[in-house]
Amino acid sequence: MLSPFIEIVNLNKHYPLSLGIIDRFAGDVKTIKALNGINLNIFKGETLGLVGESGCGKSTLGRIVMGIETPTEGFVKVEGKRIDELKSKHEIKAIRKRIQMVFQNPASTLDPRMTLHQVLSEPFSIHYNLTRNELDKRIEGLLEKVGLHYGDRKKLSGEFSDGQKQRIALIRALSLEPEFIVADEPVSALDVSVQAQILNLMKQLQKEMHLTMLFISHDLKIVRFLSDRIAVIYLGKIVELGSTEVIFKNPCHPYTQGLLSSILDIDPGLTNHQFRIKADVPLSQLNIPEGCVFQMKCYSTNDRCKKESPELRELTRGHSVACFES
Ligand SMILES: Nc1ncnc2c1ncn2[C@@H]1O[C@H](COP(=O)(O)OP(=O)(O)OP(=O)(O)O)[C@@H](O)[C@H]1O
Ligand SMILES: [Mg+2]
């Protein structure tokens, strides 16, 4: 059995909500339950897609895996080592070099006043002691990888288009040859035509660099393009996990079925409720219902769903679903 590169174990993340002074005195402290009991492994060389609607906890999970946010409970291991137990600066720096993150909005991650050369030199200056010549060579190689010209290195990063900025953010994250990348909605802020270019580039780099990746998106189509396996998350819980093929051919959780039907060309005469999600049911991490997280939007609830929370259960090898009805 392969040992996972990343292990996410019993992870909870709850944010206390800042309340008025009277509520606090009354002891009425509310919490936003962003993540609830996440267990997930990511194996070396694979891309795990994490998909779910806005606010369901995807970015929070990405940040915790990166070690830039701490969980309320549970922990993350990288190659068997808990990242919250790393003590020496040396160990923390070494891990930071091996795992990197690409964010949704390239404009907010690149300082528009820095030149492309400065942006790309930064990671090297933190981790290596390169001569001017060596640094220039590395930068030239990186720019070539993503189809940018070496002559562009003197331009300010604010002068590039959004697609180019995301290419720059991508090669910056990949410059230290990390083994693992968290890509958090890396193409959501881009036009559709540019999205395709960036996704193709990511696919090419993924192959060339044998990357392991957590790829986050609210869009199942996009997740499908790059992922070997897909985890579907709803209100801070993984509700289905399986290979990309299984998730598309045999989705078993009503939420996954709903997500899928929204992107597939389903027969308009179809009345089967299993492909539908109840719309207009307001839900938030502040009011997670007792029992199944999805019950309010589900057409196949029973009494049990209102009382008990279904755990992820393996239906077939590698395909798990958190639903009593599946
Ligand atoms: N620092 C924070 N303080 C308080 N609440 C937070 C904080 N960060 C996230 N949350 C809350 O946690 C929940 C999950 O947020 P998160 O950003 O992880 O969702 P997401 O799935 O990435 O959404 P999106 O698709 O919109 O990016 C949301 O209800 C959000 O408001
Ligand atoms: Mg997010």
Side-chain angles (χ1 to χ4, degrees):
M1 175 81 185
L2 273 175
S3 50
F5 185 70
I6 301 281
E7 260 174 284
I8 300 166
V9 184
N10 293 331
L11 206 75
N12 288 341
K13 179 67 185 179
H14 297 171
Y15 295 104
L17 193 71
S18 36
L19 296 161
I21 199 149
I22 295 172
D23 296 320
R24 261 184 263 158
F25 269 119
D28 186 15
V29 178
K30 290 202 166 88
T31 52
I32 298 173
K33 295 182 174 159
L35 294 172
N36 302 293
I38 305 278
N39 286 290
L40 204 55
N41 290 335
I42 307 174
F43 295 92
K44 189 115 189 142
E46 80 165 341
T47 292
L48 178 76
L50 181 66
V51 69
E53 65 196 35
S54 183
C56 65
K58 304 180 297 294
S59 297
T60 305
L61 185 61
R63 288 194 301 270
I64 293 176
V65 170
M66 283 297 298
I68 52 183
E69 195 156 344
T70 50
T72 312
E73 278 173 73
F75 53 86
V76 173
K77 285 182 177 179
V78 176
E79 282 192 325
K81 269 198 175 171
R82 279 177 64 157
I83 52 174
D84 57 320
E85 288 179 348
L86 299 177
K87 289 203 173 68
S88 73
K89 273 190 181 162
H90 174 73
E91 273 183 312
I92 294 169
K93 201 172 165 191
I95 281 282
R96 288 249 178 280
K97 185 168 166 275
R98 295 176 69 194
I99 63 180
Q100 296 285 330
M101 192 155 182
V102 182
F103 296 91
Q104 175 171 356
N105 191 346
S108 66
T109 52
L110 300 177
D111 184 340
R113 294 156 304 178
M114 282 169 88
T115 63
L116 177 54
H117 191 274
Q118 285 169 328
V119 167
L120 295 179
S121 324
E122 211 173 38
F124 291 114
S125 60
I126 296 171
H127 291 277
Y128 295 112
N129 205 0
L130 299 180
T131 65
R132 177 88 210 197
N133 241 353
E134 287 167 335
L135 182 62
D136 284 350
K137 272 227 164 80
R138 294 268 188 129
I139 289 177
E140 191 175 2
L142 285 172
L143 292 174
E144 204 174 292
K145 257 192 168 62
V146 296
L148 286 167
H149 299 293
Y150 185 59
D152 288 339
R153 72 194 187 288
K154 289 185 184 147
K155 277 195 194 166
L156 295 175
S157 58
E159 291 179 63
F160 292 94
S161 71
D162 282 349
Q164 286 173 325
K165 280 183 196 146
Q166 195 56 303
R167 282 165 192 264
I168 295 166
L170 201 59
I171 44 168
R172 194 171 114 116
L174 296 176
S175 57
L176 301 173
E177 301 188 351
E179 289 155 80
F180 178 68
I181 290 270
V182 175
D184 188 0
E185 305 263 13
V187 297
S188 309
L190 305 173
D191 287 347
V192 178
S193 59
V194 183
Q195 272 186 0
Q197 289 170 13
I198 298 289
L199 287 172
N200 279 318
L201 175 66
M202 287 185 77
K203 196 161 203 165
Q204 174 203 328
L205 294 172
Q206 180 191 37
K207 245 198 207 157
E208 274 175 27
M209 301 179 74
H210 308 290
L211 285 172
T212 306
M213 186 150 56
L214 175 63
F215 184 85
I216 297 173
S217 176
H218 61 275
D219 189 330
L220 204 49
K221 284 194 300 300
I222 287 178
V223 164
R224 179 189 206 177
F225 185 71
L226 282 173
S227 308
D228 302 296
R229 288 192 303 145
I230 294 178
V232 182
I233 183 169
Y234 187 78
L235 279 188
K237 276 204 124 184
I238 305 287
V239 295
E240 185 155 4
L241 174 69
S243 69
T244 301
E245 196 186 351
V246 160
I247 293 290
F248 273 79
K249 280 200 180 140
N250 184 27
C252 288
H253 195 281
Y255 180 52
T256 318
Q257 291 169 346
L259 283 182
L260 208 62
S261 68
S262 65
I263 62 165
L264 297 178
D265 211 5
I266 295 242
D267 177 356
L270 192 79
T271 53
N272 191 342
H273 282 165
Q274 75 169 335
F275 286 105
R276 291 172 45 205
I277 294 176
K278 286 183 188 170
D280 295 332
V281 182
L283 273 179
S284 85
Q285 264 84 352
L286 268 176
N287 296 310
I288 293 182
E290 202 182 315
C292 175
V293 279
F294 191 64
Q295 59 181 286
M296 318 267 283
K297 294 208 172 191
C298 185
Y299 277 99
S300 27
T301 40
N302 59 37
D303 283 348
R304 196 175 171 199
C305 312
K306 294 186 182 133
K307 294 184 203 123
E308 281 177 57
S309 169
E311 293 305 318
L312 266 183
R313 183 167 54 89
E314 199 165 50
L315 294 186
T316 53
R317 206 176 141 80
H319 182 200
S320 306
V321 182
C323 178
F324 295 125
E325 294 285 309
S326 299

